[in-house]
């Protein structure tokens, strides 16, 4: 068994690989797509790897590989019709019926294979509330897509700064699901949008967890309603959130307020909940604790699903940190990379 961690940065992608189950001996290589912004990565159900890049000259593009070493560019990638601009692919998510790409200007595209053709998901892209959609600080972006573990026709999409939408019919129609979430940008005509979801994750029993601009939340009813789960956290503000598919443990990286967006007291720490968010444990052994002001973006944390769970974390300062024991201890020292935008761990 081996693991490959693809690290997407502002100036290319890097690969961190190990061939041993203990996840202690790693080799870093790269950059791939040198100088290009690497914004998302995934492994499709057909085992192909897929990476999204963005360029001020060439725009957003997709690339596929069978081995993470040789890459081919997708000719028929996601494209809007004239009148709506697509400047970045924020997420790539394999599902039972193919793969979704979440983009900005916010919308979804779907393909049965990574090489396309890619088709717009009109039920979301042309939603009746579209006129009320407002961008967050990172733009108007569809940055997360989830599929229910037991019902492939049930999907969720998170859009900043709009909220969460759910589809119960395989992506044909979508409905906002934000009850219990404070509105960041209220709209008189569409009161169910205007929440700013930063991250969204689902456990294998269908419990949803949501890192929002205005707090950390959980839903036990498929996103029909939400309630706060912040007991033991230094702040409810943050960006990434991940759930270990084996144990159900939830991982977040809190930051001190919307105003500062920095770790509390200049000390890096991941927080883990093993009981569905009832309380949280601070995990910092091996992470920098003095003058450590690194933030973590929404796509820059991942878990590998092994037992024990591996957790992978990349910072805006270009440092990479990983844990092979569910966050109890951390390794670092992998060099100083460009600003890290996304991380995806693949078990090979």
């Amino acid at each position: 068994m081996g693991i490959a961690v693809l690290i997407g940065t502002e100036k290319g992608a890097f690969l961190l690989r190990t061939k041993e189950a203990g996840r202690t001996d790693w080799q870093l290589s790269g950059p791939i797509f040198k100088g290009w912004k690497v914004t998302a990565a995934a492994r499709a159900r057909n085992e192909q790897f897929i990476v999204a890049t963005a360029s001020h000259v060439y725009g957003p593009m997709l690339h596929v590989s069978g081995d993470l070493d040789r890459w081919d560019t997708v000719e028929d990638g996601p494209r809007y019709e004239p009148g709506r601009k697509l400047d970045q692919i924020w997420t790539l998510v394999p599902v039972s019926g193919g793969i979704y790409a979440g983009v900005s200007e916010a919308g979804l595209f779907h393909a049965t294979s990574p090489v396309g053709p890619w088709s717009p998901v009109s039920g979301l892209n042309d939603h009746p509330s579209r006129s009320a959609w407002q961008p967050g600080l990172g733009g108007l972006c569809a940055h997360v897509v989830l599929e229910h573990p037991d019902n492939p026709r049930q999907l969720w999409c998170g859009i900043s700064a709009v909220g969460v939408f759910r589809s119960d019919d395989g992506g044909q129609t979508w409905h906002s699901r934000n009850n219990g979430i404070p509105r960041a940008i209220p709209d008189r005509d569409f009161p169910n949008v205007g929440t700013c979801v930063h991250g969204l994750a689902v456990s294998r029993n269908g419990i949803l967890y949501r890192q929002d601009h205005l707090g950390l939340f959980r839903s036990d009813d498929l996103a029909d309603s939400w309630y706060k789960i912040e007991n033991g956290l230094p702040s409810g503000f943050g960006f990434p959130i991940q759930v270990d598919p084996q144990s159900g443990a939830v991982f977040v990286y809190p930051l001190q307020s919307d105003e500062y967006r920095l770790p509390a007291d200049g000390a890096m720490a991941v927080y883990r909940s093993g009981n569905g968010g009832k309380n949280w444990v601070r995990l910092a052994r091996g992470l920098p604790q003095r003058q450590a002001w690194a933030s973590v973006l929404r796509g820059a944390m991942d878990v590998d699903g092994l037992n024990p769970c591996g957790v992978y974390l990349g910072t805006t300062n270009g440092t990479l940190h990983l844990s092979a024991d569910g966050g109890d201890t951390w390794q670092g020292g992998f060099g100083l990379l460009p600003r890290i935008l996304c991380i995806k761990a693949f078990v090979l």
Side-chain angles (χ1 to χ4, degrees):
M1 181 199 73
I3 297 172
V5 184
L6 190 143
I7 305 115
T9 80
E10 287 274 9
K11 295 295 182 179
F14 297 81
L15 282 169
L16 189 69
R17 306 194 214 206
T18 184
K19 295 182 179 179
E20 47 94 25
R23 291 163 287 183
T24 57
D25 183 19
W26 295 89
Q27 298 296 320
L28 182 69
S29 63
I32 312 164
F33 311 111
K34 186 177 181 180
W36 287 42
K37 187 177 179 180
V38 177
T39 58
R43 191 181 195 180
R45 299 292 172 93
N46 67 359
E47 298 299 304
Q48 277 187 306
F49 300 98
I50 180 168
V51 160
T53 60
S55 163
H56 293 301
V57 177
Y58 302 106
M61 302 179 73
L62 292 176
H63 314 267
V64 295
S65 173
D67 58 8
L68 292 170
D69 292 315
R70 295 174 295 275
W71 294 88
D72 296 312
T73 300
V74 173
E75 298 296 332
D76 191 8
R79 293 288 184 273
Y80 277 130
E81 295 294 327
R84 193 173 289 171
K85 184 180 180 180
L86 196 162
D87 59 13
Q88 180 171 311
I89 297 169
W90 277 83
T91 190
L92 294 163
V93 181
V95 294
S96 299
I99 188 167
Y100 279 99
V103 307
S104 62
E105 176 179 331
L108 289 183
F109 288 78
H110 178 268
T112 56
S113 165
V115 298
W118 288 81
S119 302
V121 180
S122 59
L124 182 68
N125 299 357
D126 302 317
H127 194 270
S129 67
R130 179 96 197 190
S131 62
W133 293 10
Q134 298 293 326
L137 187 61
L140 182 59
C141 50
H143 53 74
V144 61
V145 179
L146 300 176
E147 181 183 56
H148 192 289
D150 298 319
N151 180 5
R153 293 184 61 78
Q154 197 154 65
L155 303 161
W156 295 270
C157 178
I159 300 175
S160 180
V162 181
V164 169
F165 292 82
R166 189 182 76 208
S167 175
D168 299 315
D169 55 12
Q172 297 300 308
T173 61
W174 296 79
H175 305 280
S176 58
R177 289 292 180 262
N178 300 294
N179 289 335
I181 307 293
R183 270 44 178 178
I185 309 175
D187 185 87
R188 181 182 62 185
D189 297 325
F190 296 98
N192 290 325
V193 301
T195 62
C196 189
V197 56
H198 288 176
L200 195 65
V202 63
S203 69
R204 63 180 180 181
N205 59 355
I207 301 299
L208 287 162
Y209 299 94
R210 173 175 178 161
Q211 177 64 72
D212 206 83
H213 192 99
L214 297 175
L216 184 66
F217 299 86
R218 166 177 165 160
S219 175
D220 302 327
D221 53 14
L222 307 176
D224 284 341
S225 63
W226 299 88
Y227 60 93
K228 278 194 174 184
I229 50 166
E230 298 176 4
N231 183 39
L233 293 177
S235 167
F237 186 87
F239 288 96
I241 185 166
Q242 289 289 333
V243 175
D244 174 20
Q246 301 299 322
S247 68
V250 189
F251 298 89
V252 295
Y253 187 85
L255 297 174
Q256 186 183 6
S257 79
D258 172 31
E259 179 183 5
Y260 299 117
R261 303 185 180 214
L262 296 169
D265 302 319
M268 289 181 62
V270 172
Y271 283 73
R272 179 184 65 210
S273 177
N275 55 11
K278 293 179 182 178
N279 50 54
W280 297 85
V281 177
R282 186 178 188 272
L283 309 171
R285 185 179 175 190
L287 291 174
Q289 297 299 290
R290 293 175 58 84
Q291 297 295 344
W293 301 101
S295 298
V296 177
L297 301 179
R298 70 182 91 237
M301 182 165 68
D302 198 20
V303 296
D304 61 22
L306 297 177
N307 186 16
C309 174
V311 189
Y312 307 86
L313 188 76
T315 74
T316 53
N317 293 6
T319 60
L320 179 66
H321 310 270
L322 64 89
S323 171
D325 52 15
D328 288 341
T329 60
W330 293 84
Q331 308 171 49
F334 299 103
L336 186 60
L337 306 181
R339 178 182 173 95
I340 296 174
L341 306 178
C342 65
I343 283 183
K344 187 59 66 174
F346 304 111
V347 179
L348 306 177

